[in-house]
Amino acid sequence: MQEFRRMKRLPPYVFAVVNELKMEARHRGEDIIDLGMGNPDLPTPPHIVEKLMEAATKASNHRYSASKGITKLRHAICSWYKRRYDVDLDPDHEAVATIGAKEGLSHLVLATISPGDVVLVPSPTYPIHPYSVVIAGGDLRSVPLLPGRDFFEDLRTAFRQTWPQPKMLIISFPHNPTNMVVDLDFMYKIVEFCRKHEIWLVHDFAYADLVFDDYVAPSILQVSGAKDIAVELFSMSKSYSMAGWRLGFTVGNQEMVQALTRIKSYLDYGVFQPIQIAGIIALNEQQDCVQNIVDVYKSRRDTLCAGLQRIGWDVELPKATMFLWAKIPERWLSLGSVEFSKLLIKEAKVAVSPGLGFGEYGDEYVRFALVENEHRINQAIRGLRRFFNS
């Protein structure tokens, strides 16, 4: 039998080990508080749901849609960028709707990266960033993204030590899982580096709105000349709590956007049209709902961080995302993130994501997702306190 070579390039799914242990515990009747997967639990704002329901009753919306997104949605995307970031975009050539940011990124890489092409990706990072490269047959190079290190120095080192010259850099700020945030000056330096070395730049901007304490996340397209080499991906999942709807978009460099548009024309017929119509309402109408969602995550962040600090787990308040990236306490550090995560399920009845699942530089950390209410988070803290004291 022939082997599936592309599948053999993918490593075992680290999160599956913890998920299996969690499900076994639940089948035994144990109450496991799941702070592992970043699956938003907040309902989609009512006015967006109402538009979906209205559009779904019209038979004309039941047919195949446009793989690149209907015209009004692409115009709404570009208007949203103009209002938010004062960035001008051509809806016909510089914007394409996607089936979530994950699909957009994976197909963008598949369209632009050939076997043997080198792609630079920070580590740790969201798994689809490196594994989209692996699936496309590219050659992956990790750039450490760690406290106390100069990312640009590590980036320059990775570039100097790589041959052939890297073709692409994939980044994401605010960053999942590390909570790292950057300013517009950082974006200028990244764009300057990529333009100088003729590297395509892909920025996953999924957490653009999930920011706290007066921090404002910059768009890479705010940088003059960024469209020469960069695209930005956005997801409706977090800002509008539309995770299961699977709607996002990619904007920026015309050559890359058109490559993604073309490959999608072979692969899909676009998102169900009523979802696209509801997406137009989400982008065009009042944005108070976004701030309401952010306020909930902030309250959960404060509850979780204060609770961990009380029991002696030293963590910092993240300025963005719906996660907390926490270094494993010293007395359990030698276990590594997978064994420590398994121990938390067994002893504290709390599920988290092991840092190793986000890359080789993540094994000293675990990631908490803010997907439970304050009551459940406090219950998790009590379980962790019992474990710590035992």
Side-chain angles (χ1 to χ4, degrees):
M1 295 290 291
Q2 294 182 352
E3 62 183 17
F4 300 128
R5 294 181 61 190
R6 187 170 284 110
M7 293 300 97
K8 286 183 72 68
R9 292 194 72 196
L10 294 173
Y13 195 56
V14 170
F15 304 114
V17 177
V18 176
N19 288 338
E20 184 176 352
L21 198 63
K22 175 187 68 182
M23 295 311 299
E24 288 174 356
R26 284 181 166 172
H27 289 154
R28 293 193 298 268
E30 298 177 25
D31 181 17
I32 304 297
I33 301 170
D34 191 357
L35 302 176
M37 182 179 178
N39 190 0
D41 64 313
L42 302 178
T44 305
H47 69 288
I48 301 174
V49 177
E50 289 166 7
K51 191 62 180 182
L52 169 72
M53 294 169 64
E54 175 193 321
T57 63
K58 298 180 180 178
S60 59
N61 289 329
H62 300 172
R63 305 176 69 185
Y64 291 133
S65 187
S67 63
K68 67 179 181 178
I70 59 177
T71 300
K72 287 186 178 180
L73 175 58
R74 287 183 282 108
H75 279 267
I77 290 165
C78 296
S79 296
W80 184 85
Y81 257 89
K82 181 63 176 177
R83 293 193 305 273
R84 291 284 301 272
Y85 305 110
D86 196 24
V87 171
D88 292 305
L89 292 164
D90 178 353
D92 293 323
H93 302 102
E94 296 177 337
V96 56
T98 59
I99 309 172
K102 194 172 183 180
E103 177 270 325
L105 177 66
S106 56
H107 283 151
L108 173 67
V109 174
L110 190 62
T112 56
I113 295 301
S114 301
D117 285 345
V118 177
V119 180
L120 302 175
V121 182
S123 176
T125 199
Y126 186 53
I128 195 59
H129 296 170
Y131 294 122
S132 63
V133 178
V134 172
I135 292 169
D139 190 356
L140 180 68
R141 292 287 187 275
S142 295
V143 183
L145 188 66
L146 296 169
R149 295 186 66 143
D150 184 333
F151 177 73
F152 282 100
E153 186 57 39
D154 286 329
L155 181 61
R156 287 188 286 268
T157 298
F159 179 83
R160 288 194 300 267
Q161 294 178 350
T162 299
W163 185 260
Q165 177 176 308
K167 186 173 182 179
M168 180 180 286
L169 169 64
I170 301 174
I171 58 172
S172 179
F173 298 104
H175 190 257
N176 172 21
T178 70
N179 306 133
M180 180 177 172
V181 296
V182 301
D183 56 19
L184 191 56
D185 184 60
F186 180 98
M187 294 301 196
Y188 273 99
K189 290 171 68 176
I190 283 283
V191 169
E192 180 184 25
F193 177 88
C194 290
R195 291 184 70 184
K196 176 181 177 181
H197 297 292
E198 299 181 333
I199 300 173
W200 292 120
L201 177 57
V202 178
H203 181 225
D204 183 349
F205 204 26
Y207 297 94
D209 290 309
L210 266 58
V211 294
F212 318 117
D213 307 330
D214 299 323
Y215 171 70
V216 178
S219 163
I220 205 156
L221 297 181
Q222 290 176 273
V223 178
S224 177
K227 282 200 290 183
D228 293 343
I229 44 88
V231 293
E232 192 158 70
L233 298 103
F234 182 79
S235 166
M236 307 290 285
S237 297
K238 283 76 180 180
S239 300
Y240 301 95
S241 205
M242 295 170 65
W245 301 52
R246 307 316 303 132
L247 183 63
F249 48 84
T250 302
V251 295
N253 176 266
Q254 180 173 324
E255 192 173 347
M256 279 199 285
V257 167
Q258 290 307 301
L260 175 56
T261 302
R262 187 176 181 196
I263 199 170
K264 282 176 61 62
S265 71
Y266 285 91
L267 295 171
D268 69 72
Y269 286 107
V271 178
F272 182 43
Q273 193 151 295
I275 292 176
Q276 296 190 55
I277 294 169
I280 295 169
I281 296 301
L283 294 170
N284 280 348
E285 294 199 356
Q286 56 84 18
Q287 300 294 297
D288 293 348
C289 61
V290 177
Q291 188 58 51
N292 293 338
I293 290 168
V294 172
D295 289 343
V296 171
Y297 284 123
K298 181 181 183 299
S299 179
R300 293 177 179 183
R301 176 205 69 165
D302 294 345
T303 300
L304 177 61
C305 291
L308 292 175
Q309 291 283 6
R310 281 198 309 272
I311 65 173
W313 192 338
D314 188 25
V315 296
E316 294 183 8
L317 279 173
K319 287 188 175 293
T321 81
M322 54 184 290
F323 305 108
L324 171 66
W325 186 240
K327 189 167 186 179
I328 299 170
E330 189 66 34
R331 54 180 153 161
W332 294 289
L333 193 57
S334 62
L335 289 177
S337 61
V338 176
E339 291 304 315
F340 180 67
S341 298
K342 290 163 66 175
L343 193 61
L344 290 188
I345 292 176
K346 180 181 178 182
E347 301 295 340
K349 311 305 178 190
V350 176
V352 297
S353 292
L356 184 62
F358 301 97
E360 66 270 35
Y361 293 105
D363 201 26
E364 293 187 349
Y365 296 81
V366 293
R367 191 195 71 177
F368 291 84
L370 303 174
V371 293
E372 292 276 10
N373 61 37
E374 283 89 341
H375 172 75
R376 293 284 282 172
I377 290 172
N378 281 320
Q379 185 180 340
I381 295 297
R382 291 192 291 273
L384 290 166
R385 178 191 285 118
R386 288 192 296 271
F387 167 56
F388 276 36
N389 291 340
S390 68

Short mmCIF file of all heavy atoms in Angstrom, two decimals, residues 298-349:
data_model
loop_
_atom_site.label_atom_id
_atom_site.label_comp_id
_atom_site.label_asym_id
_atom_site.label_seq_id
_atom_site.Cartn_x
_atom_site.Cartn_y
_atom_site.Cartn_z
N LYS A 298 -12.51 40.61 29.31
CA LYS A 298 -11.68 41.33 30.27
C LYS A 298 -12.02 40.93 31.70
O LYS A 298 -11.13 40.70 32.53
CB LYS A 298 -11.84 42.84 30.10
CG LYS A 298 -10.98 43.67 31.07
CD LYS A 298 -11.19 45.16 30.87
CE LYS A 298 -10.28 45.97 31.78
NZ LYS A 298 -10.51 45.73 33.22
N SER A 299 -13.32 40.82 32.00
CA SER A 299 -13.73 40.42 33.33
C SER A 299 -13.23 39.02 33.66
O SER A 299 -12.76 38.75 34.77
CB SER A 299 -15.26 40.49 33.43
OG SER A 299 -15.69 40.07 34.71
N ARG A 300 -13.31 38.13 32.69
CA ARG A 300 -12.82 36.77 32.91
C ARG A 300 -11.30 36.76 33.08
O ARG A 300 -10.77 36.02 33.91
CB ARG A 300 -13.22 35.89 31.72
CG ARG A 300 -14.71 35.66 31.61
CD ARG A 300 -15.04 34.84 30.37
NE ARG A 300 -16.47 34.58 30.26
CZ ARG A 300 -17.03 33.85 29.31
NH1 ARG A 300 -16.26 33.29 28.37
NH2 ARG A 300 -18.34 33.66 29.27
N ARG A 301 -10.62 37.57 32.28
CA ARG A 301 -9.17 37.67 32.43
C ARG A 301 -8.80 38.11 33.83
O ARG A 301 -7.91 37.53 34.48
CB ARG A 301 -8.62 38.68 31.41
CG ARG A 301 -7.13 38.94 31.54
CD ARG A 301 -6.74 40.30 30.99
NE ARG A 301 -7.24 41.42 31.79
CZ ARG A 301 -6.81 42.67 31.69
NH1 ARG A 301 -5.87 42.98 30.81
NH2 ARG A 301 -7.32 43.62 32.45
N ASP A 302 -9.47 39.15 34.32
CA ASP A 302 -9.17 39.67 35.65
C ASP A 302 -9.43 38.62 36.73
O ASP A 302 -8.64 38.47 37.68
CB ASP A 302 -10.02 40.91 35.93
CG ASP A 302 -9.65 42.09 35.02
OD1 ASP A 302 -8.58 42.04 34.39
OD2 ASP A 302 -10.45 43.04 34.95
N THR A 303 -10.53 37.89 36.60
CA THR A 303 -10.87 36.86 37.58
C THR A 303 -9.84 35.75 37.58
O THR A 303 -9.38 35.30 38.65
CB THR A 303 -12.27 36.28 37.28
OG1 THR A 303 -13.24 37.33 37.33
CG2 THR A 303 -12.65 35.19 38.26
N LEU A 304 -9.46 35.27 36.41
CA LEU A 304 -8.50 34.17 36.31
C LEU A 304 -7.13 34.59 36.84
O LEU A 304 -6.51 33.88 37.64
CB LEU A 304 -8.38 33.70 34.85
CG LEU A 304 -7.36 32.59 34.59
CD1 LEU A 304 -7.69 31.33 35.38
CD2 LEU A 304 -7.26 32.29 33.10
N CYS A 305 -6.64 35.74 36.41
CA CYS A 305 -5.30 36.18 36.81
C CYS A 305 -5.23 36.45 38.31
O CYS A 305 -4.26 36.07 38.98
CB CYS A 305 -4.88 37.40 36.01
SG CYS A 305 -4.57 37.06 34.26
N ALA A 306 -6.25 37.10 38.85
CA ALA A 306 -6.27 37.38 40.28
C ALA A 306 -6.30 36.08 41.08
O ALA A 306 -5.62 35.94 42.10
CB ALA A 306 -7.47 38.25 40.64
N GLY A 307 -7.08 35.11 40.60
CA GLY A 307 -7.17 33.83 41.28
C GLY A 307 -5.86 33.07 41.26
O GLY A 307 -5.44 32.50 42.28
N LEU A 308 -5.21 33.05 40.12
CA LEU A 308 -3.92 32.36 40.02
C LEU A 308 -2.87 33.03 40.90
O LEU A 308 -2.07 32.34 41.55
CB LEU A 308 -3.46 32.32 38.56
CG LEU A 308 -4.29 31.44 37.61
CD1 LEU A 308 -3.80 31.59 36.17
CD2 LEU A 308 -4.24 29.98 38.03
N GLN A 309 -2.88 34.34 40.91
CA GLN A 309 -1.93 35.06 41.78
C GLN A 309 -2.17 34.71 43.25
O GLN A 309 -1.22 34.53 44.02
CB GLN A 309 -2.06 36.57 41.57
CG GLN A 309 -1.58 37.08 40.22
CD GLN A 309 -0.07 37.15 40.11
OE1 GLN A 309 0.65 36.74 41.00
NE2 GLN A 309 0.40 37.68 38.99
N ARG A 310 -3.43 34.59 43.65
CA ARG A 310 -3.76 34.28 45.05
C ARG A 310 -3.20 32.92 45.48
O ARG A 310 -2.79 32.75 46.62
CB ARG A 310 -5.28 34.27 45.27
CG ARG A 310 -5.90 35.62 45.40
CD ARG A 310 -7.29 35.53 46.04
NE ARG A 310 -8.17 34.56 45.38
CZ ARG A 310 -8.94 34.83 44.34
NH1 ARG A 310 -8.93 36.06 43.82
NH2 ARG A 310 -9.71 33.90 43.81
N ILE A 311 -3.19 31.96 44.57
CA ILE A 311 -2.73 30.63 44.96
C ILE A 311 -1.24 30.44 44.71
O ILE A 311 -0.72 29.34 44.88
CB ILE A 311 -3.54 29.52 44.24
CG1 ILE A 311 -3.30 29.55 42.73
CG2 ILE A 311 -5.03 29.66 44.56
CD1 ILE A 311 -3.93 28.37 41.99
N GLY A 312 -0.56 31.51 44.27
CA GLY A 312 0.88 31.44 44.12
C GLY A 312 1.40 31.13 42.74
O GLY A 312 2.58 30.82 42.56
N TRP A 313 0.52 31.23 41.73
CA TRP A 313 0.95 31.01 40.34
C TRP A 313 1.16 32.40 39.73
O TRP A 313 0.20 33.11 39.44
CB TRP A 313 -0.09 30.23 39.57
CG TRP A 313 0.38 29.70 38.23
CD1 TRP A 313 1.41 30.16 37.48
CD2 TRP A 313 -0.19 28.61 37.51
NE1 TRP A 313 1.53 29.45 36.33
CE2 TRP A 313 0.57 28.46 36.31
CE3 TRP A 313 -1.25 27.73 37.73
CZ2 TRP A 313 0.28 27.48 35.37
CZ3 TRP A 313 -1.53 26.76 36.78
CH2 TRP A 313 -0.77 26.64 35.62
N ASP A 314 2.39 32.77 39.53
CA ASP A 314 2.73 34.12 39.10
C ASP A 314 2.45 34.30 37.61
O ASP A 314 3.12 33.68 36.78
CB ASP A 314 4.21 34.40 39.40
CG ASP A 314 4.58 35.87 39.15
OD1 ASP A 314 3.67 36.72 39.21
OD2 ASP A 314 5.76 36.14 38.88
N VAL A 315 1.47 35.11 37.27
CA VAL A 315 1.12 35.37 35.88
C VAL A 315 0.96 36.88 35.68
O VAL A 315 0.72 37.62 36.64
CB VAL A 315 -0.19 34.65 35.48
CG1 VAL A 315 -0.01 33.14 35.54
CG2 VAL A 315 -1.35 35.10 36.35
N GLU A 316 1.07 37.31 34.44
CA GLU A 316 0.88 38.72 34.09
C GLU A 316 -0.46 38.90 33.38
O GLU A 316 -0.91 38.01 32.64
CB GLU A 316 2.01 39.21 33.18
CG GLU A 316 3.37 39.25 33.85
CD GLU A 316 4.43 39.82 32.92
OE1 GLU A 316 4.06 40.32 31.83
OE2 GLU A 316 5.61 39.78 33.29
N LEU A 317 -1.09 40.05 33.59
CA LEU A 317 -2.33 40.36 32.90
C LEU A 317 -2.06 40.55 31.41
O LEU A 317 -1.30 41.46 31.03
CB LEU A 317 -2.94 41.65 33.46
CG LEU A 317 -3.74 41.58 34.75
CD1 LEU A 317 -4.10 42.99 35.19
CD2 LEU A 317 -5.00 40.76 34.56
N PRO A 318 -2.64 39.73 30.55
CA PRO A 318 -2.44 39.95 29.11
C PRO A 318 -3.21 41.17 28.63
O PRO A 318 -4.30 41.46 29.13
CB PRO A 318 -3.00 38.66 28.48
CG PRO A 318 -3.98 38.15 29.48
CD PRO A 318 -3.45 38.54 30.83
N LYS A 319 -2.64 41.87 27.68
CA LYS A 319 -3.29 43.07 27.13
C LYS A 319 -4.21 42.75 25.96
O LYS A 319 -4.87 43.66 25.44
CB LYS A 319 -2.24 44.09 26.69
CG LYS A 319 -1.53 44.80 27.85
CD LYS A 319 -0.66 45.92 27.34
CE LYS A 319 -0.05 46.72 28.48
NZ LYS A 319 -1.07 47.47 29.23
N ALA A 320 -4.24 41.48 25.54
CA ALA A 320 -5.05 41.15 24.37
C ALA A 320 -5.28 39.64 24.31
O ALA A 320 -4.67 38.87 25.04
CB ALA A 320 -4.36 41.63 23.10
N THR A 321 -6.14 39.24 23.40
CA THR A 321 -6.57 37.87 23.08
C THR A 321 -7.55 37.35 24.12
O THR A 321 -7.86 38.03 25.11
CB THR A 321 -5.42 36.86 22.90
OG1 THR A 321 -4.95 36.41 24.17
CG2 THR A 321 -4.29 37.44 22.07
N MET A 322 -8.03 36.14 23.91
CA MET A 322 -8.95 35.49 24.84
C MET A 322 -8.25 34.35 25.58
O MET A 322 -8.86 33.36 25.97
CB MET A 322 -10.16 34.93 24.07
CG MET A 322 -9.79 34.03 22.92
SD MET A 322 -11.21 33.45 21.96
CE MET A 322 -11.95 32.34 23.12
N PHE A 323 -6.93 34.53 25.80
CA PHE A 323 -6.12 33.49 26.41
C PHE A 323 -5.20 34.06 27.49
O PHE A 323 -4.96 35.27 27.55
CB PHE A 323 -5.26 32.79 25.36
CG PHE A 323 -6.04 32.23 24.20
CD1 PHE A 323 -5.99 32.83 22.95
CD2 PHE A 323 -6.83 31.12 24.38
CE1 PHE A 323 -6.71 32.33 21.89
CE2 PHE A 323 -7.57 30.60 23.32
CZ PHE A 323 -7.50 31.20 22.07
N LEU A 324 -4.69 33.16 28.30
CA LEU A 324 -3.62 33.47 29.24
C LEU A 324 -2.51 32.45 29.03
O LEU A 324 -2.74 31.25 29.12
CB LEU A 324 -4.12 33.42 30.69
CG LEU A 324 -3.02 33.54 31.75
CD1 LEU A 324 -2.36 34.92 31.70
CD2 LEU A 324 -3.57 33.26 33.14
N TRP A 325 -1.32 32.93 28.74
CA TRP A 325 -0.14 32.09 28.53
C TRP A 325 0.64 32.09 29.84
O TRP A 325 1.17 33.12 30.25
CB TRP A 325 0.68 32.68 27.39
CG TRP A 325 1.86 31.92 26.89
CD1 TRP A 325 3.16 32.36 26.88
CD2 TRP A 325 1.87 30.65 26.25
NE1 TRP A 325 3.97 31.44 26.28
CE2 TRP A 325 3.21 30.36 25.88
CE3 TRP A 325 0.90 29.69 25.96
CZ2 TRP A 325 3.59 29.19 25.23
CZ3 TRP A 325 1.27 28.52 25.31
CH2 TRP A 325 2.59 28.28 24.96
N ALA A 326 0.67 30.96 30.51
CA ALA A 326 1.21 30.90 31.87
C ALA A 326 2.38 29.93 31.94
O ALA A 326 2.26 28.76 31.52
CB ALA A 326 0.12 30.46 32.84
N LYS A 327 3.51 30.39 32.47
CA LYS A 327 4.65 29.51 32.64
C LYS A 327 4.35 28.51 33.76
O LYS A 327 3.81 28.87 34.81
CB LYS A 327 5.91 30.31 32.97
CG LYS A 327 7.17 29.45 32.95
CD LYS A 327 8.43 30.27 32.95
CE LYS A 327 9.66 29.38 32.77
NZ LYS A 327 10.91 30.16 32.74
N ILE A 328 4.71 27.27 33.54
CA ILE A 328 4.47 26.23 34.52
C ILE A 328 5.25 26.55 35.80
O ILE A 328 6.44 26.90 35.71
CB ILE A 328 4.90 24.86 33.96
CG1 ILE A 328 4.10 24.52 32.71
CG2 ILE A 328 4.75 23.76 35.01
CD1 ILE A 328 4.61 23.31 31.95
N PRO A 329 4.62 26.47 36.97
CA PRO A 329 5.36 26.73 38.21
C PRO A 329 6.60 25.86 38.32
O PRO A 329 6.63 24.72 37.86
CB PRO A 329 4.33 26.38 39.30
CG PRO A 329 3.00 26.62 38.65
CD PRO A 329 3.19 26.21 37.21
N GLU A 330 7.62 26.42 38.95
CA GLU A 330 8.96 25.82 38.97
C GLU A 330 8.95 24.37 39.44
O GLU A 330 9.66 23.53 38.89
CB GLU A 330 9.87 26.66 39.88
CG GLU A 330 11.34 26.27 39.81
CD GLU A 330 11.96 26.55 38.44
OE1 GLU A 330 11.55 27.54 37.80
OE2 GLU A 330 12.83 25.76 38.03
N ARG A 331 8.14 24.04 40.44
CA ARG A 331 8.22 22.69 40.99
C ARG A 331 7.70 21.62 40.04
O ARG A 331 7.95 20.44 40.24
CB ARG A 331 7.49 22.61 42.33
CG ARG A 331 6.04 23.08 42.33
CD ARG A 331 5.42 22.95 43.71
NE ARG A 331 4.34 23.92 43.92
CZ ARG A 331 3.42 23.80 44.84
NH1 ARG A 331 3.46 22.77 45.67
NH2 ARG A 331 2.48 24.71 44.97
N TRP A 332 6.95 22.02 39.00
CA TRP A 332 6.46 21.06 38.01
C TRP A 332 7.07 21.28 36.63
O TRP A 332 6.70 20.61 35.67
CB TRP A 332 4.93 21.13 37.91
CG TRP A 332 4.24 20.69 39.15
CD1 TRP A 332 4.14 19.41 39.64
CD2 TRP A 332 3.53 21.52 40.07
NE1 TRP A 332 3.42 19.40 40.81
CE2 TRP A 332 3.02 20.68 41.11
CE3 TRP A 332 3.26 22.89 40.14
CZ2 TRP A 332 2.28 21.16 42.17
CZ3 TRP A 332 2.52 23.37 41.21
CH2 TRP A 332 2.04 22.52 42.20
N LEU A 333 7.99 22.22 36.53
CA LEU A 333 8.52 22.61 35.21
C LEU A 333 9.18 21.43 34.49
O LEU A 333 9.08 21.32 33.27
CB LEU A 333 9.52 23.75 35.38
CG LEU A 333 9.96 24.49 34.12
CD1 LEU A 333 8.77 25.08 33.38
CD2 LEU A 333 10.95 25.61 34.48
N SER A 334 9.83 20.57 35.24
CA SER A 334 10.55 19.45 34.61
C SER A 334 9.62 18.43 33.96
O SER A 334 10.05 17.62 33.13
CB SER A 334 11.42 18.73 35.66
OG SER A 334 10.61 18.18 36.68
N LEU A 335 8.32 18.48 34.31
CA LEU A 335 7.37 17.54 33.71
C LEU A 335 7.15 17.82 32.23
O LEU A 335 6.85 16.91 31.45
CB LEU A 335 6.02 17.63 34.43
CG LEU A 335 5.92 17.08 35.85
CD1 LEU A 335 4.52 17.33 36.39
CD2 LEU A 335 6.24 15.60 35.88
N GLY A 336 7.28 19.07 31.85
CA GLY A 336 6.89 19.47 30.49
C GLY A 336 5.39 19.73 30.44
O GLY A 336 4.62 19.35 31.33
N SER A 337 4.95 20.40 29.39
CA SER A 337 3.57 20.90 29.34
C SER A 337 2.53 19.81 29.18
O SER A 337 1.41 19.93 29.70
CB SER A 337 3.44 21.93 28.21
OG SER A 337 3.73 21.35 26.96
N VAL A 338 2.85 18.73 28.47
CA VAL A 338 1.85 17.68 28.26
C VAL A 338 1.56 16.94 29.56
O VAL A 338 0.40 16.77 29.96
CB VAL A 338 2.30 16.70 27.16
CG1 VAL A 338 1.30 15.55 27.01
CG2 VAL A 338 2.46 17.43 25.82
N GLU A 339 2.60 16.50 30.25
CA GLU A 339 2.40 15.78 31.50
C GLU A 339 1.78 16.68 32.56
O GLU A 339 0.95 16.23 33.36
CB GLU A 339 3.73 15.19 32.00
CG GLU A 339 4.26 14.07 31.15
CD GLU A 339 3.27 12.92 30.99
OE1 GLU A 339 2.66 12.52 32.02
OE2 GLU A 339 3.07 12.45 29.87
N PHE A 340 2.18 17.95 32.58
CA PHE A 340 1.60 18.87 33.55
C PHE A 340 0.12 19.08 33.26
O PHE A 340 -0.71 19.11 34.19
CB PHE A 340 2.34 20.21 33.53
CG PHE A 340 1.82 21.22 34.51
CD1 PHE A 340 1.95 21.02 35.87
CD2 PHE A 340 1.18 22.37 34.07
CE1 PHE A 340 1.45 21.95 36.79
CE2 PHE A 340 0.69 23.31 34.97
CZ PHE A 340 0.84 23.09 36.34
N SER A 341 -0.25 19.20 31.99
CA SER A 341 -1.67 19.37 31.63
C SER A 341 -2.48 18.14 32.02
O SER A 341 -3.62 18.26 32.49
CB SER A 341 -1.80 19.63 30.13
OG SER A 341 -1.15 20.83 29.76
N LYS A 342 -1.90 16.97 31.83
CA LYS A 342 -2.58 15.74 32.24
C LYS A 342 -2.77 15.70 33.75
O LYS A 342 -3.82 15.27 34.26
CB LYS A 342 -1.78 14.52 31.77
CG LYS A 342 -1.80 14.33 30.25
CD LYS A 342 -0.70 13.42 29.76
CE LYS A 342 -0.84 12.01 30.22
NZ LYS A 342 0.20 11.13 29.60
N LEU A 343 -1.78 16.19 34.47
CA LEU A 343 -1.86 16.21 35.93
C LEU A 343 -2.95 17.16 36.41
O LEU A 343 -3.66 16.87 37.39
CB LEU A 343 -0.50 16.63 36.50
CG LEU A 343 -0.26 16.45 38.00
CD1 LEU A 343 -0.36 14.98 38.39
CD2 LEU A 343 1.11 17.00 38.39
N LEU A 344 -3.12 18.29 35.73
CA LEU A 344 -4.16 19.25 36.12
C LEU A 344 -5.55 18.65 35.93
O LEU A 344 -6.46 18.90 36.74
CB LEU A 344 -4.04 20.54 35.30
CG LEU A 344 -2.84 21.44 35.58
CD1 LEU A 344 -2.98 22.76 34.83
CD2 LEU A 344 -2.65 21.70 37.06
N ILE A 345 -5.74 17.87 34.88
CA ILE A 345 -7.04 17.21 34.69
C ILE A 345 -7.29 16.21 35.82
O ILE A 345 -8.37 16.18 36.42
CB ILE A 345 -7.10 16.50 33.32
CG1 ILE A 345 -7.11 17.53 32.19
CG2 ILE A 345 -8.34 15.61 33.23
CD1 ILE A 345 -7.07 16.93 30.81
N LYS A 346 -6.29 15.44 36.13
CA LYS A 346 -6.44 14.39 37.14
C LYS A 346 -6.62 14.95 38.54
O LYS A 346 -7.51 14.50 39.29
CB LYS A 346 -5.21 13.47 37.10
CG LYS A 346 -5.26 12.33 38.11
CD LYS A 346 -4.00 11.48 38.03
CE LYS A 346 -4.03 10.37 39.08
NZ LYS A 346 -2.77 9.56 39.04
N GLU A 347 -5.82 15.95 38.90
CA GLU A 347 -5.79 16.41 40.30
C GLU A 347 -6.63 17.66 40.55
O GLU A 347 -7.16 17.84 41.65
CB GLU A 347 -4.34 16.68 40.71
CG GLU A 347 -3.43 15.47 40.61
CD GLU A 347 -3.80 14.36 41.57
OE1 GLU A 347 -4.51 14.65 42.57
OE2 GLU A 347 -3.39 13.20 41.35
N ALA A 348 -6.71 18.56 39.56
CA ALA A 348 -7.43 19.82 39.77
C ALA A 348 -8.77 19.87 39.04
O ALA A 348 -9.56 20.78 39.25
CB ALA A 348 -6.57 21.00 39.33
N LYS A 349 -9.01 18.89 38.16
CA LYS A 349 -10.23 18.84 37.34
C LYS A 349 -10.33 20.07 36.43
O LYS A 349 -11.41 20.62 36.19
CB LYS A 349 -11.49 18.73 38.21
CG LYS A 349 -11.42 17.64 39.28
CD LYS A 349 -11.09 16.28 38.71
CE LYS A 349 -10.98 15.23 39.81
NZ LYS A 349 -10.43 13.95 39.30
#
